[in-house]
Amino acid sequence: MKPCEAWWQAPLYCTWIDQSFAAQGMPSADLAEQTAESALPTRTVFTEKMVRDAVEVIKREKLPFKTILLDEGWHVGRGHWEPHPDRFPDLRKLVDDLHADGFKVVVWWNWVEIEKAVEHRMDPAHLLASGKRNKHGCIMRDYSSSKTQEEYLKPLFHKLFSSDEGCYDLDGVKTDFQADKVHADMPPSDPAWRGEEMTFYQVYKLFYAEMKKHKSDAVHIGGAGNYWLAEFIDINRTYDIFSSNYLEHENRARMLMATTPGCPVAYDFHNHVENLDAYLESAKALGASVEIGNLLTTKQDIFSDPEPATPDYYAVLRKHLVA
């Protein structure tokens, strides 16, 4: 019964596959190979220029995208959510320019992980289980702590979503890469937060409320087929699929519609030109929105090399996508 903004269900452009093609041709299908360190090439090629180039394509080709999602790499590192000073030297100016062009701007955010490269920036008083590492070798923040909430999360979300001077005026977050990170031997300090499902519920409830305080129509793009989390997810995406079999998206979308009723569903990236028409037709038939991950570069299929996107590719998008 919660409100659903019209722009949440419009086609969305996310930078991730364009980043991946620019860096290494294709993201790994293996989660273990998508760690912070191995994802570095895909992050380090990501620049403000890439975003502006994609926006020029959207305008030139009259593509009906309403939202620009800056995926992983806009920030300094997982766990330290400041714009990278070299690749995004003035994030607020970029956001203001995109807003002026009629776009909403969303960023990739991971509340779970703190990568080793930015650990020195962490306040030890905010860490879970006194800085104990999970089985992946990561330290984490204890969001159940009022100290962490007041000194870290609330100021962070003010900076991300407020239009105040010195803030970024963003329009939402995409959460990602959270699976298998919360473990029983690293309990939050507040007993009411303990247990993996309860931890997720409490964190989602907390950050969602903080985001909405600053911008009532801000969006949370999630990827969780969990009834109790649906209250705090505005778009539920079908998540990464690395083949060109669009039926994987369709079946995941049907699952999400059943397990998170009332939460809009989006087909996530279709990484190839192969079966693109069928993928877009399937989403339309199911009433799902679409998140496109590449506008600058395409691949015909999993065996092909990346090539610059062609007018024919844009024509297929125009044919099927509706604002």
Side-chain angles (χ1 to χ4, degrees):
M1 299 297 292
K2 69 180 182 180
C4 180
E5 303 291 337
W7 66 271
W8 295 351
Q9 299 181 76
L12 173 152
Y13 166 65
C14 176
T15 59
W16 183 248
I17 303 302
D18 273 331
Q19 294 174 235
S20 301
F21 287 164
Q24 56 197 16
M26 194 64 191
S28 172
D30 189 323
L31 283 175
E33 295 176 6
Q34 293 182 29
T35 63
E37 288 75 15
S38 60
L40 274 175
T42 307
R43 293 158 58 180
T44 55
V45 299
F46 187 32
T47 63
E48 179 180 327
K49 182 180 184 304
M50 180 182 287
V51 177
R52 293 188 181 277
D53 287 348
V55 169
E56 285 305 308
V57 168
I58 292 171
K59 293 192 287 189
R60 184 190 72 222
E61 299 294 332
K62 297 180 171 57
L63 301 173
F65 294 104
K66 300 293 186 183
T67 302
I68 308 297
L69 199 166
L70 311 182
D71 214 282
E72 188 182 11
W74 67 272
H75 52 84
V76 173
R78 291 183 191 176
H80 185 60
W81 303 105
E82 290 288 338
H84 193 281
D86 299 323
R87 302 195 302 272
F88 289 87
D90 193 342
L91 181 62
R92 178 59 184 266
K93 175 65 164 58
L94 174 63
V95 172
D96 286 346
D97 290 347
L98 293 177
H99 282 167
D101 282 336
F103 296 105
K104 300 289 188 177
V105 188
V106 176
V107 292
W108 190 93
W109 180 61
N110 182 327
W111 57 271
V112 184
E113 289 188 277
I114 299 171
E115 64 182 276
K116 290 182 173 60
V118 299
E119 285 183 358
H120 65 285
R121 299 176 182 268
M122 303 301 114
D123 184 338
H126 297 164
L127 297 181
L128 188 67
S130 301
K132 181 177 180 178
R133 297 183 184 276
N134 66 16
K135 69 181 185 181
H136 303 286
C138 292
I139 58 174
M140 298 168 60
R141 289 187 175 90
D142 183 359
Y143 290 99
S144 78
S145 162
S146 59
K147 187 176 181 67
T148 306
Q149 293 175 22
E150 296 299 326
E151 296 179 357
Y152 172 71
L153 185 72
K154 291 181 180 181
L156 171 65
F157 271 49
H158 174 258
K159 192 164 189 178
L160 291 179
F161 301 110
S162 174
S163 59
D164 292 348
E165 185 176 353
C167 300
Y168 303 127
D169 199 19
L170 293 162
D171 301 294
V173 291
K174 166 187 171 181
T175 56
D176 197 10
F177 225 80
Q178 304 155 95
D180 191 32
K181 302 295 196 304
V182 177
H183 307 308
D185 62 347
M186 298 173 66
S189 55
D190 185 341
W193 286 56
R194 292 179 184 175
E196 183 179 36
E197 192 169 61
M198 184 58 76
T199 297
F200 269 79
Y201 177 83
Q202 295 283 18
V203 171
Y204 273 41
K205 181 179 180 180
L206 173 65
F207 82 69
Y208 193 78
E210 286 301 315
M211 182 174 72
K212 296 290 185 176
K213 282 181 185 177
H214 298 290
K215 195 164 289 189
S216 62
D217 70 338
V219 69
H220 170 210
I221 302 174
N226 184 301
Y227 176 84
W228 299 107
L229 298 181
E231 181 180 357
F232 313 117
I233 298 175
D234 300 310
I235 303 172
N236 223 355
R237 62 191 182 95
T238 54
Y239 221 77
D240 304 352
I241 292 170
F242 293 88
S243 75
S244 57
N245 181 3
Y246 70 93
L247 291 176
E248 292 193 56
H249 286 288
E250 184 172 306
N251 288 331
R252 291 187 185 186
R254 291 183 186 278
M255 179 205 73
L256 292 172
M257 289 174 177
T259 58
T260 53
C263 184
V265 173
Y267 278 31
D268 212 351
F269 317 136
H270 184 78
N271 299 331
H272 311 106
V273 175
E274 181 180 62
N275 286 336
L276 180 60
D277 279 281
Y279 158 85
L280 294 168
E281 288 172 358
S282 171
K284 187 185 301 181
L286 209 58
S289 60
V290 173
E291 301 189 354
I292 298 296
N294 55 307
L295 289 176
L296 304 176
T297 308
T298 62
K299 283 183 65 166
Q300 179 61 36
D301 52 46
I302 196 169
F303 305 106
S304 305
D305 293 327
E307 297 179 341
T310 65
D312 288 344
Y313 174 70
Y314 302 134
V316 173
L317 297 180
R318 277 196 302 272
K319 175 183 174 183
H320 294 282
L321 297 179
V322 178

Tab-separated table of all heavy atoms in Angstrom, residues 108-154:
chain	number	residue	atom	x	y	z
A	108	TRP	N	25.275	3.375	-6.172
A	108	TRP	CA	25.516	2.049	-5.603
A	108	TRP	C	26.032	2.217	-4.179
A	108	TRP	O	26.902	3.042	-3.909
A	108	TRP	CB	26.555	1.349	-6.455
A	108	TRP	CG	26.799	-0.112	-6.195
A	108	TRP	CD1	26.197	-1.168	-6.818
A	108	TRP	CD2	27.773	-0.695	-5.302
A	108	TRP	NE1	26.718	-2.364	-6.363
A	108	TRP	CE2	27.681	-2.097	-5.421
A	108	TRP	CE3	28.684	-0.162	-4.399
A	108	TRP	CZ2	28.477	-2.974	-4.683
A	108	TRP	CZ3	29.472	-1.030	-3.664
A	108	TRP	CH2	29.367	-2.417	-3.810
A	109	TRP	N	25.482	1.391	-3.263
A	109	TRP	CA	25.881	1.501	-1.854
A	109	TRP	C	25.842	0.130	-1.207
A	109	TRP	O	24.906	-0.638	-1.410
A	109	TRP	CB	24.943	2.457	-1.106
A	109	TRP	CG	25.266	2.637	0.336
A	109	TRP	CD1	26.426	3.129	0.865
A	109	TRP	CD2	24.422	2.341	1.463
A	109	TRP	NE1	26.352	3.165	2.244
A	109	TRP	CE2	25.126	2.685	2.634
A	109	TRP	CE3	23.135	1.834	1.588
A	109	TRP	CZ2	24.598	2.527	3.911
A	109	TRP	CZ3	22.592	1.676	2.855
A	109	TRP	CH2	23.320	2.020	4.002
A	110	ASN	N	26.861	-0.184	-0.430
A	110	ASN	CA	26.962	-1.478	0.244
A	110	ASN	C	27.205	-1.217	1.727
A	110	ASN	O	28.287	-0.803	2.126
A	110	ASN	CB	28.133	-2.274	-0.356
A	110	ASN	CG	28.292	-3.657	0.250
A	110	ASN	OD1	28.023	-3.863	1.419
A	110	ASN	ND2	28.755	-4.589	-0.552
A	111	TRP	N	26.175	-1.467	2.544
A	111	TRP	CA	26.289	-1.190	3.980
A	111	TRP	C	27.086	-2.257	4.715
A	111	TRP	O	27.503	-2.044	5.854
A	111	TRP	CB	24.902	-1.065	4.609
A	111	TRP	CG	24.001	-2.256	4.432
A	111	TRP	CD1	23.140	-2.469	3.393
A	111	TRP	CD2	23.879	-3.381	5.294
A	111	TRP	NE1	22.483	-3.668	3.557
A	111	TRP	CE2	22.908	-4.253	4.729
A	111	TRP	CE3	24.476	-3.758	6.507
A	111	TRP	CZ2	22.532	-5.462	5.309
A	111	TRP	CZ3	24.111	-4.965	7.090
A	111	TRP	CH2	23.157	-5.803	6.500
A	112	VAL	N	27.297	-3.414	4.091
A	112	VAL	CA	27.885	-4.552	4.787
A	112	VAL	C	29.409	-4.497	4.808
A	112	VAL	O	30.033	-4.687	5.854
A	112	VAL	CB	27.422	-5.876	4.134
A	112	VAL	CG1	27.948	-7.064	4.928
A	112	VAL	CG2	25.909	-5.926	4.044
A	113	GLU	N	30.016	-4.248	3.666
A	113	GLU	CA	31.454	-4.449	3.539
A	113	GLU	C	32.280	-3.190	3.816
A	113	GLU	O	31.860	-2.075	3.505
A	113	GLU	CB	31.788	-4.931	2.128
A	113	GLU	CG	31.354	-6.352	1.854
A	113	GLU	CD	31.876	-6.825	0.527
A	113	GLU	OE1	31.240	-6.519	-0.489
A	113	GLU	OE2	32.917	-7.506	0.496
A	114	ILE	N	33.441	-3.418	4.376
A	114	ILE	CA	34.487	-2.400	4.462
A	114	ILE	C	35.741	-3.030	3.895
A	114	ILE	O	36.282	-3.981	4.463
A	114	ILE	CB	34.732	-1.956	5.918
A	114	ILE	CG1	33.454	-1.344	6.511
A	114	ILE	CG2	35.892	-0.967	5.986
A	114	ILE	CD1	33.544	-1.069	7.999
A	115	GLU	N	36.200	-2.536	2.776
A	115	GLU	CA	37.367	-3.162	2.158
A	115	GLU	C	38.648	-2.715	2.866
A	115	GLU	O	38.704	-1.660	3.502
A	115	GLU	CB	37.431	-2.862	0.674
A	115	GLU	CG	37.613	-1.408	0.310
A	115	GLU	CD	37.606	-1.196	-1.184
A	115	GLU	OE1	38.671	-1.362	-1.798
A	115	GLU	OE2	36.532	-0.869	-1.737
A	116	LYS	N	39.669	-3.542	2.739
A	116	LYS	CA	40.904	-3.313	3.488
A	116	LYS	C	41.553	-1.979	3.167
A	116	LYS	O	42.173	-1.350	4.031
A	116	LYS	CB	41.884	-4.472	3.244
A	116	LYS	CG	41.447	-5.786	3.883
A	116	LYS	CD	42.478	-6.880	3.660
A	116	LYS	CE	42.132	-8.151	4.437
A	116	LYS	NZ	40.834	-8.720	4.062
A	117	ALA	N	41.421	-1.517	1.936
A	117	ALA	CA	42.080	-0.281	1.523
A	117	ALA	C	41.566	0.948	2.261
A	117	ALA	O	42.257	1.978	2.302
A	117	ALA	CB	41.921	-0.082	0.010
A	118	VAL	N	40.370	0.871	2.846
A	118	VAL	CA	39.828	2.045	3.542
A	118	VAL	C	39.632	1.794	5.041
A	118	VAL	O	39.050	2.623	5.741
A	118	VAL	CB	38.493	2.507	2.904
A	118	VAL	CG1	38.701	2.892	1.451
A	118	VAL	CG2	37.409	1.445	3.040
A	119	GLU	N	40.130	0.676	5.532
A	119	GLU	CA	39.950	0.361	6.954
A	119	GLU	C	40.526	1.435	7.866
A	119	GLU	O	39.989	1.699	8.944
A	119	GLU	CB	40.582	-0.992	7.281
A	119	GLU	CG	39.789	-2.190	6.798
A	119	GLU	CD	40.425	-3.497	7.210
A	119	GLU	OE1	41.511	-3.453	7.849
A	119	GLU	OE2	39.865	-4.558	6.903
A	120	HIS	N	41.610	2.065	7.432
A	120	HIS	CA	42.255	3.075	8.279
A	120	HIS	C	41.367	4.303	8.486
A	120	HIS	O	41.623	5.123	9.381
A	120	HIS	CB	43.591	3.504	7.663
A	120	HIS	CG	43.454	4.207	6.341
A	120	HIS	ND1	43.165	3.539	5.168
A	120	HIS	CD2	43.563	5.514	6.021
A	120	HIS	CE1	43.101	4.410	4.170
A	120	HIS	NE2	43.342	5.611	4.663
A	121	ARG	N	40.324	4.444	7.676
A	121	ARG	CA	39.419	5.583	7.799
A	121	ARG	C	38.279	5.324	8.787
A	121	ARG	O	37.478	6.217	9.062
A	121	ARG	CB	38.824	5.930	6.429
A	121	ARG	CG	39.859	6.318	5.365
A	121	ARG	CD	39.168	6.548	4.031
A	121	ARG	NE	40.087	6.873	2.954
A	121	ARG	CZ	40.445	8.113	2.595
A	121	ARG	NH1	39.952	9.143	3.268
A	121	ARG	NH2	41.272	8.318	1.593
A	122	MET	N	38.179	4.097	9.285
A	122	MET	CA	37.061	3.718	10.137
A	122	MET	C	37.281	4.131	11.588
A	122	MET	O	38.400	4.083	12.097
A	122	MET	CB	36.839	2.205	10.086
A	122	MET	CG	36.586	1.637	8.690
A	122	MET	SD	35.153	2.363	7.880
A	122	MET	CE	35.951	3.233	6.493
A	123	ASP	N	36.205	4.511	12.266
A	123	ASP	CA	36.239	4.767	13.703
A	123	ASP	C	36.057	3.431	14.411
A	123	ASP	O	35.015	2.777	14.252
A	123	ASP	CB	35.116	5.721	14.084
A	123	ASP	CG	35.140	6.124	15.550
A	123	ASP	OD1	35.728	5.376	16.370
A	123	ASP	OD2	34.552	7.167	15.882
A	124	PRO	N	37.038	2.978	15.204
A	124	PRO	CA	36.916	1.681	15.877
A	124	PRO	C	35.659	1.563	16.737
A	124	PRO	O	35.133	0.457	16.922
A	124	PRO	CB	38.180	1.613	16.737
A	124	PRO	CG	39.154	2.512	16.050
A	124	PRO	CD	38.328	3.632	15.478
A	125	ALA	N	35.157	2.689	17.245
A	125	ALA	CA	33.968	2.653	18.104
A	125	ALA	C	32.707	2.281	17.328
A	125	ALA	O	31.683	1.962	17.939
A	125	ALA	CB	33.777	4.009	18.786
A	126	HIS	N	32.772	2.325	15.981
A	126	HIS	CA	31.591	2.022	15.161
A	126	HIS	C	31.584	0.577	14.662
A	126	HIS	O	30.629	0.181	13.984
A	126	HIS	CB	31.545	2.948	13.943
A	126	HIS	CG	31.406	4.388	14.288
A	126	HIS	ND1	31.667	5.400	13.378
A	126	HIS	CD2	31.044	5.009	15.450
A	126	HIS	CE1	31.473	6.572	13.957
A	126	HIS	NE2	31.084	6.358	15.219
A	127	LEU	N	32.601	-0.187	14.995
A	127	LEU	CA	32.748	-1.506	14.388
A	127	LEU	C	31.984	-2.592	15.132
A	127	LEU	O	31.841	-2.558	16.356
A	127	LEU	CB	34.225	-1.872	14.302
A	127	LEU	CG	35.086	-0.962	13.423
A	127	LEU	CD1	36.531	-1.452	13.418
A	127	LEU	CD2	34.538	-0.874	12.005
A	128	LEU	N	31.528	-3.562	14.375
A	128	LEU	CA	30.809	-4.709	14.904
A	128	LEU	C	31.768	-5.650	15.610
A	128	LEU	O	32.878	-5.913	15.120
A	128	LEU	CB	30.120	-5.437	13.747
A	128	LEU	CG	29.142	-6.562	14.069
A	128	LEU	CD1	27.908	-6.024	14.761
A	128	LEU	CD2	28.743	-7.279	12.777
A	129	ALA	N	31.350	-6.168	16.767
A	129	ALA	CA	32.113	-7.171	17.511
A	129	ALA	C	33.565	-6.734	17.723
A	129	ALA	O	34.501	-7.535	17.560
A	129	ALA	CB	32.068	-8.518	16.791
A	130	SER	N	33.748	-5.465	18.048
A	130	SER	CA	35.083	-4.911	18.342
A	130	SER	C	36.066	-5.094	17.189
A	130	SER	O	37.266	-5.251	17.390
A	130	SER	CB	35.648	-5.534	19.615
A	130	SER	OG	34.797	-5.289	20.717
A	131	GLY	N	35.544	-5.071	15.961
A	131	GLY	CA	36.420	-5.162	14.796
A	131	GLY	C	36.734	-6.564	14.345
A	131	GLY	O	37.617	-6.762	13.496
A	132	LYS	N	36.019	-7.560	14.854
A	132	LYS	CA	36.232	-8.938	14.401
A	132	LYS	C	35.916	-9.049	12.914
A	132	LYS	O	34.988	-8.412	12.420
A	132	LYS	CB	35.347	-9.901	15.193
A	132	LYS	CG	35.533	-11.355	14.796
A	132	LYS	CD	34.693	-12.287	15.657
A	132	LYS	CE	34.904	-13.740	15.239
A	132	LYS	NZ	34.142	-14.681	16.085
A	133	ARG	N	36.690	-9.887	12.210
A	133	ARG	CA	36.473	-10.077	10.777
A	133	ARG	C	35.509	-11.227	10.522
A	133	ARG	O	35.545	-12.238	11.223
A	133	ARG	CB	37.803	-10.337	10.064
A	133	ARG	CG	38.760	-9.164	10.168
A	133	ARG	CD	40.061	-9.389	9.408
A	133	ARG	NE	40.956	-8.264	9.634
A	133	ARG	CZ	40.916	-7.124	8.944
A	133	ARG	NH1	40.044	-7.000	7.950
A	133	ARG	NH2	41.742	-6.137	9.212
A	134	ASN	N	34.668	-11.058	9.486
A	134	ASN	CA	33.806	-12.172	9.109
A	134	ASN	C	34.619	-13.189	8.306
A	134	ASN	O	35.824	-13.021	8.100
A	134	ASN	CB	32.572	-11.681	8.340
A	134	ASN	CG	32.905	-11.074	6.977
A	134	ASN	OD1	33.996	-11.243	6.435
A	134	ASN	ND2	31.949	-10.357	6.422
A	135	LYS	N	33.981	-14.251	7.854
A	135	LYS	CA	34.736	-15.326	7.206
A	135	LYS	C	35.312	-14.916	5.855
A	135	LYS	O	36.127	-15.641	5.286
A	135	LYS	CB	33.865	-16.567	7.052
A	135	LYS	CG	32.724	-16.448	6.065
A	135	LYS	CD	31.944	-17.765	6.041
A	135	LYS	CE	30.856	-17.758	4.989
A	135	LYS	NZ	30.099	-19.021	4.983
A	136	HIS	N	34.911	-13.749	5.363
A	136	HIS	CA	35.489	-13.225	4.127
A	136	HIS	C	36.639	-12.259	4.409
A	136	HIS	O	37.191	-11.660	3.484
A	136	HIS	CB	34.414	-12.521	3.305
A	136	HIS	CG	33.253	-13.397	2.972
A	136	HIS	ND1	33.314	-14.396	2.027
A	136	HIS	CD2	31.995	-13.446	3.485
A	136	HIS	CE1	32.144	-15.011	1.955
A	136	HIS	NE2	31.337	-14.460	2.840
A	137	GLY	N	36.958	-12.088	5.692
A	137	GLY	CA	38.070	-11.220	6.060
A	137	GLY	C	37.712	-9.760	6.200
A	137	GLY	O	38.597	-8.904	6.267
A	138	CYS	N	36.404	-9.449	6.254
A	138	CYS	CA	35.962	-8.056	6.315
A	138	CYS	C	35.533	-7.658	7.724
A	138	CYS	O	34.901	-8.438	8.430
A	138	CYS	CB	34.775	-7.832	5.380
A	138	CYS	SG	35.167	-7.975	3.628
A	139	ILE	N	35.872	-6.426	8.106
A	139	ILE	CA	35.266	-5.837	9.283
A	139	ILE	C	33.961	-5.166	8.855
A	139	ILE	O	33.745	-4.892	7.676
A	139	ILE	CB	36.197	-4.820	9.959
A	139	ILE	CG1	36.583	-3.688	8.980
A	139	ILE	CG2	37.446	-5.509	10.489
A	139	ILE	CD1	37.380	-2.577	9.615
A	140	MET	N	33.081	-4.930	9.827
A	140	MET	CA	31.779	-4.352	9.525
A	140	MET	C	31.406	-3.322	10.579
A	140	MET	O	31.967	-3.321	11.670
A	140	MET	CB	30.712	-5.455	9.476
A	140	MET	CG	30.951	-6.499	8.406
A	140	MET	SD	29.866	-7.942	8.610
A	140	MET	CE	28.259	-7.162	8.482
A	141	ARG	N	30.457	-2.461	10.243
A	141	ARG	CA	29.943	-1.498	11.212
A	141	ARG	C	28.797	-2.115	12.004
A	141	ARG	O	28.029	-2.924	11.476
A	141	ARG	CB	29.462	-0.226	10.516
A	141	ARG	CG	30.594	0.639	9.961
A	141	ARG	CD	30.041	1.963	9.445
A	141	ARG	NE	31.128	2.837	9.019
A	141	ARG	CZ	31.631	2.866	7.783
A	141	ARG	NH1	31.144	2.044	6.860
A	141	ARG	NH2	32.611	3.684	7.475
A	142	ASP	N	28.675	-1.678	13.238
A	142	ASP	CA	27.567	-2.105	14.095
A	142	ASP	C	26.473	-1.042	14.020
A	142	ASP	O	26.460	-0.079	14.778
A	142	ASP	CB	28.044	-2.280	15.537
A	142	ASP	CG	26.951	-2.801	16.452
A	142	ASP	OD1	25.820	-3.017	15.969
A	142	ASP	OD2	27.230	-2.985	17.655
A	143	TYR	N	25.540	-1.235	13.105
A	143	TYR	CA	24.477	-0.248	12.915
A	143	TYR	C	23.453	-0.272	14.036
A	143	TYR	O	22.623	0.637	14.127
A	143	TYR	CB	23.792	-0.469	11.562
A	143	TYR	CG	24.666	-0.125	10.394
A	143	TYR	CD1	25.350	-1.107	9.693
A	143	TYR	CD2	24.826	1.200	9.987
A	143	TYR	CE1	26.170	-0.797	8.620
A	143	TYR	CE2	25.646	1.529	8.912
A	143	TYR	CZ	26.309	0.527	8.238
A	143	TYR	OH	27.121	0.842	7.176
A	144	SER	N	23.494	-1.314	14.891
A	144	SER	CA	22.574	-1.336	16.027
A	144	SER	C	23.007	-0.364	17.117
A	144	SER	O	22.225	-0.016	17.996
A	144	SER	CB	22.480	-2.748	16.610
A	144	SER	OG	23.602	-3.063	17.419
A	145	SER	N	24.245	0.094	17.059
A	145	SER	CA	24.786	1.013	18.059
A	145	SER	C	24.286	2.435	17.800
A	145	SER	O	24.400	2.957	16.682
A	145	SER	CB	26.312	0.981	18.011
A	145	SER	OG	26.869	2.113	18.642
A	146	SER	N	23.762	3.072	18.821
A	146	SER	CA	23.302	4.457	18.668
A	146	SER	C	24.460	5.375	18.297
A	146	SER	O	24.275	6.373	17.588
A	146	SER	CB	22.631	4.939	19.952
A	146	SER	OG	23.531	4.874	21.051
A	147	LYS	N	25.657	5.039	18.762
A	147	LYS	CA	26.844	5.830	18.421
A	147	LYS	C	27.111	5.783	16.912
A	147	LYS	O	27.369	6.812	16.276
A	147	LYS	CB	28.054	5.305	19.187
A	147	LYS	CG	29.318	6.154	19.058
A	147	LYS	CD	30.425	5.606	19.926
A	147	LYS	CE	31.693	6.453	19.841
A	147	LYS	NZ	31.499	7.800	20.427
A	148	THR	N	27.026	4.596	16.328
A	148	THR	CA	27.228	4.446	14.884
A	148	THR	C	26.129	5.175	14.117
A	148	THR	O	26.394	5.841	13.104
A	148	THR	CB	27.237	2.960	14.490
A	148	THR	OG1	28.191	2.270	15.286
A	148	THR	CG2	27.586	2.785	13.019
A	149	GLN	N	24.914	5.066	14.584
A	149	GLN	CA	23.797	5.720	13.908
A	149	GLN	C	23.946	7.235	13.919
A	149	GLN	O	23.788	7.892	12.884
A	149	GLN	CB	22.486	5.322	14.579
A	149	GLN	CG	22.120	3.858	14.426
A	149	GLN	CD	20.882	3.477	15.207
A	149	GLN	OE1	20.063	4.336	15.543
A	149	GLN	NE2	20.723	2.191	15.515
A	150	GLU	N	24.257	7.794	15.096
A	150	GLU	CA	24.296	9.253	15.230
A	150	GLU	C	25.556	9.866	14.629
A	150	GLU	O	25.501	10.950	14.037
A	150	GLU	CB	24.184	9.642	16.710
A	150	GLU	CG	22.871	9.249	17.352
A	150	GLU	CD	21.666	9.914	16.705
A	150	GLU	OE1	21.801	11.074	16.262
A	150	GLU	OE2	20.599	9.274	16.647
A	151	GLU	N	26.685	9.183	14.786
A	151	GLU	CA	27.960	9.756	14.337
A	151	GLU	C	28.311	9.393	12.905
A	151	GLU	O	29.110	10.093	12.273
A	151	GLU	CB	29.084	9.283	15.266
A	151	GLU	CG	28.934	9.773	16.690
A	151	GLU	CD	30.052	9.270	17.599
A	151	GLU	OE1	30.913	8.484	17.134
A	151	GLU	OE2	30.065	9.662	18.786
A	152	TYR	N	27.709	8.303	12.369
A	152	TYR	CA	28.088	7.878	11.031
A	152	TYR	C	26.911	7.868	10.043
A	152	TYR	O	26.910	8.606	9.067
A	152	TYR	CB	28.752	6.493	11.051
A	152	TYR	CG	28.967	5.958	9.652
A	152	TYR	CD1	29.938	6.524	8.827
A	152	TYR	CD2	28.161	4.949	9.131
A	152	TYR	CE1	30.104	6.083	7.518
A	152	TYR	CE2	28.325	4.500	7.838
A	152	TYR	CZ	29.301	5.072	7.038
A	152	TYR	OH	29.457	4.652	5.748
A	153	LEU	N	25.904	7.010	10.300
A	153	LEU	CA	24.878	6.802	9.278
A	153	LEU	C	24.048	8.051	9.015
A	153	LEU	O	23.823	8.428	7.854
A	153	LEU	CB	23.959	5.640	9.661
A	153	LEU	CG	22.943	5.298	8.568
A	153	LEU	CD1	23.615	4.633	7.386
A	153	LEU	CD2	21.816	4.432	9.095
A	154	LYS	N	23.589	8.710	10.063
A	154	LYS	CA	22.743	9.887	9.859
A	154	LYS	C	23.492	11.020	9.156
A	154	LYS	O	22.953	11.611	8.202
A	154	LYS	CB	22.134	10.342	11.188
A	154	LYS	CG	21.107	9.351	11.730
A	154	LYS	CD	20.491	9.811	13.038
A	154	LYS	CE	19.474	8.786	13.541
A	154	LYS	NZ	18.826	9.213	14.810
